[in-house]
Amino acid sequence: MKKTKGKRINGNGVIQTPFYYGWVIVILAGLSHFFSGPGQTYSNAIFIDYYIEEFGWSRSTVSGIYSSATLLAGFLLFIIGRMIDKVGARKMAIAVSLILAAASIFNSFVVNWVMLFMGFFAIRLFGQGSMTLVPNALIPQWFIQKRGRALGLAALGGMIGSAAFPLINVWLIEAYGWRTTWQILGASIVLIFTPLAFFFIRNRPEDIGLLPDNGPLVRDEDQQKPLSSDSSWTVKEAKKTRSFWLLLFCVVVPALVNTGMTFHLVSIFSIQSLAPETAATVLSLMAIIGFPVTFLAGYLLDKIRVQWMLAFVFVGEIASIFLLKEADLFSGAILFAVVWGFMLGIERVTLSVVWPNYFGRQYLGSITGISMAFMVVGSALGPLPFGLFYDFFGGYKEVLWVIMIFPLLGIVAALLANPPEKKE
C-alpha cells in the first residue's frame, strides 16, 4: 500500500492536509505546554513577594502552602492519566483547559491562606500537571521513529512559556495589579487554547486511518493490531521492572531541584545583591537558550539511548546549582541562565521520550500519569527546604550544597535503568 499525505474520509467527516496530520498535533501539544504556564513555578514565582507583602506571611509559610498544595495535586495526577486512556486526550484537553482557566480566575480573589491553598492546588493539578500530561501522552500516539523530534518541537511551547510568562507577569502586575493579572491569564486560556483543542485534536492516527510516523491507510479490521516496534506494557507489568522505579527517581530529582531554585530565585538573587528584574531576565534567558537545544535533544534522542541523555541532564543540573551558588554578579547570573537553559532544554524532551520508549503507547496515559504524579510530588518538596534553610541560616548557600546530592544519585539511577525486555 502506498503512503498517504494524511488524507482520510470516513463517517465522522473529512480531514485533508498536504502533510502528516501528526504535525498539527505537535503544534497543539506545544500550545498546551505553553498554556500550562499559569500553573508553573516560573510563573508563580513572580507572585510570591506580592503575597508576602499584602498578607504579611513569612516566606516559609508561603512555601509550605505551595508545597502542600502541589503535593496533594501530585497524588491525584494518576487519575488524570487513567482518564486520558479511558476518554481520550481531546476531551481531557478541553476539560482541563476550562478548569485551569477557572482556577486562574479564582486566584484573583484570594484573601486568606485557605483560598491560597485551594488556588495553588487547582493550578498545579490542572496547569503544571494535567496541561503537560495530556500532550506528553498524545504525541507518542502519533510518532514512534520520529518521537524524539516531535516531542522536542512540542517542548518549545513550554520553553516559550517559561520565557514569556515571567516578563508578562511582571508587566501585567505593574500595570494592573496581581489580581487582574490572574484574570487575564485565565481568560487567555479559554479564549485561545480551548477552541483549538475542540476543533483540531484527534486522539490517535488510527482514528483517521493512519499509523504513527505517517504510515499507510489500513483496513478497519487491521487498525487494532499492535506495531512490532511498539510493544506496550500495562501499569502492572511496568511496576514489576527495576527500570520503572529507577526512572521515577530520575523524574523526581529535576522536579525537586528546579522548582526549589525557581521558586526562591528572586530571594536568592536579592541576598546576592541582584535585583528582582535579574531573576525575570534569567528565567526568560534560560528559556531562550533552551529553544535550539530542544531541537538538538529531540534529534539526539532518536539516535542515542535515552538513559545516557538522562545521565547528562543530571551532570548539567550539578553545574547549574554550583553556578547559582556563586552568582553574585550580573555576569554570573547570565552564565547560570545559559547553563541552566541548556540543561532544561534537554531535560524537557528526555523526560517525555523515556516512558513511551520503554513501555509503549497503549497504556501511556496511565504510566505517564504516575510519572507526572511523582514529578509534581518532587516539585512540591522542592521549595520547602529552601524556605526552611533560609529561615534557619538566613541564606541559601547551605541548601544549595545539600541538594547537589540528588542529581549525583540521579546519574547512578539513569545508568542502571536499562530498557526492560517484555516476555511474550
Side-chain angles (χ1 to χ4, degrees), residues 162-191:
S162 61
F165 275 98
L167 296 178
I168 290 172
N169 288 352
V170 168
W171 179 77
L172 287 175
I173 291 173
E174 290 180 353
Y176 305 106
W178 66 268
R179 295 184 185 276
T180 302
T181 297
W182 274 118
Q183 295 170 5
I184 294 172
L185 294 178
S188 67
I189 297 169
V190 74
L191 293 176

Side-chain angles (χ1 to χ4, degrees), residues 1 8 33 67 128 140 160 172 203 206 209 239 292 303 366 371 387 399 413-414:
M1 288 183 291
R8 170 68 169 173
H33 281 297
S67 296
Q128 185 239 10
I160 294 171
L172 287 175
N203 294 324
E206 290 87 345
K239 285 181 177 179
K303 307 292 183 181
S366 297
S371 168
V399 72

Side-chain angles (χ1 to χ4, degrees), residues 58-61 386-395:
S58 70
R59 188 167 298 276
S60 58
T61 297
F386 278 77
L388 293 174
F389 268 74
Y390 174 83
D391 289 344
F392 188 80
F393 292 104

Side-chain angles (χ1 to χ4, degrees), residues 287-306:
I288 293 171
I289 295 297
F291 292 163
V293 176
T294 56
F295 287 105
L296 175 63
Y299 176 80
L300 291 177
L301 282 162
D302 289 333
K303 307 292 183 181
I304 300 174
R305 292 179 66 172
V306 66

Side-chain angles (χ1 to χ4, degrees), residues 7 39 55 65 74 84 94 117 122 168 203 254 293 349 351 389 393:
K7 297 182 181 180
F55 299 112
I65 294 172
I84 293 173
I94 296 168
F117 175 87
I168 290 172
N203 294 324
V293 176
V349 188
L351 294 180
F389 268 74
F393 292 104

Side-chain angles (χ1 to χ4, degrees), residues 88-117:
R90 177 178 177 270
K91 290 181 179 178
M92 289 302 295
I94 296 168
V96 164
S97 63
L98 288 172
I99 298 173
L100 178 60
S104 298
I105 294 172
F106 174 86
N107 273 272
S108 69
F109 297 103
V110 166
V111 294
N112 54 49
W113 71 267
V114 175
M115 293 184 70
L116 184 64
F117 175 87

